[in-house]
Amino acid sequence: MKVSQETISGGVAIFACCVLYGLFMGTVRMSSLLFVACIARYDVDRKRASFPFVLAFAVRNIIGPVAGFFGKQFGIRKVVVFGVLLSTVSIGACSFAEDIVTVTVLWGVGHGNKRKSNLLHLNF
């Protein structure tokens, strides 16, 4: 079997997709741990502690048509970069949040937005 540049590029692309998918889905798998940490850190009940994660999943599903519209208007690369930057700032700001309402807005809206724009980028 002859190894060509095309084969190496394909292997690198497959490896990069596996790593990125693992990072994207890692926060989904860790949400139960973060839920318990929210209860302890912010001293709230289960309903209020779960709302940031519920909102993130809702935003992730709702933002698809909006991301598609903006992708056609501005280009998919700009939409993905904006989503990634918004998510990065939102998650970083969650580290300094002192109440669950701030976490709900930052994690739910900011982090939920990034996921759909990245998945939209992977599908096109």
Side-chain angles (χ1 to χ4, degrees):
M1 179 177 174
K2 184 178 176 187
V3 178
S4 67
Q5 180 65 30
E6 200 170 289
T7 307
I8 293 171
S9 297
V12 169
I14 289 172
F15 179 74
C17 285
C18 289
V19 169
L20 289 174
Y21 186 74
L23 291 173
F24 294 151
M25 297 311 290
T27 56
V28 174
R29 297 291 179 210
M30 286 185 357
S31 62
S32 60
L33 296 173
L34 296 172
F35 167 70
V36 173
C38 280
I39 291 174
R41 166 73 169 90
Y42 299 111
D43 194 29
V44 294
D45 59 346
R46 295 170 59 95
K47 183 178 179 182
R48 291 191 68 197
S50 68
F51 193 66
F53 308 105
V54 171
L55 184 62
F57 291 128
V59 168
R60 182 185 70 180
N61 292 325
I62 292 170
I63 203 74
V66 176
F69 173 76
F70 284 132
K72 288 186 181 205
Q73 295 294 321
F74 302 110
I76 193 69
R77 182 172 290 181
K78 290 181 182 178
V79 172
V80 170
V81 169
F82 175 74
V84 169
L85 290 176
L86 178 65
S87 177
T88 303
V89 170
S90 296
I91 292 173
C94 279
S95 301
F96 303 107
E98 293 296 327
D99 61 344
I100 195 70
V101 175
T102 307
V103 172
T104 299
V105 171
L106 292 173
W107 185 270
V109 176
H111 186 59
N113 179 31
K114 179 206 63 124
R115 288 187 188 170
K116 190 49 125 182
S117 62
N118 283 326
L119 292 175
L120 182 69
H121 175 65
L122 291 175
N123 288 327
F124 290 102

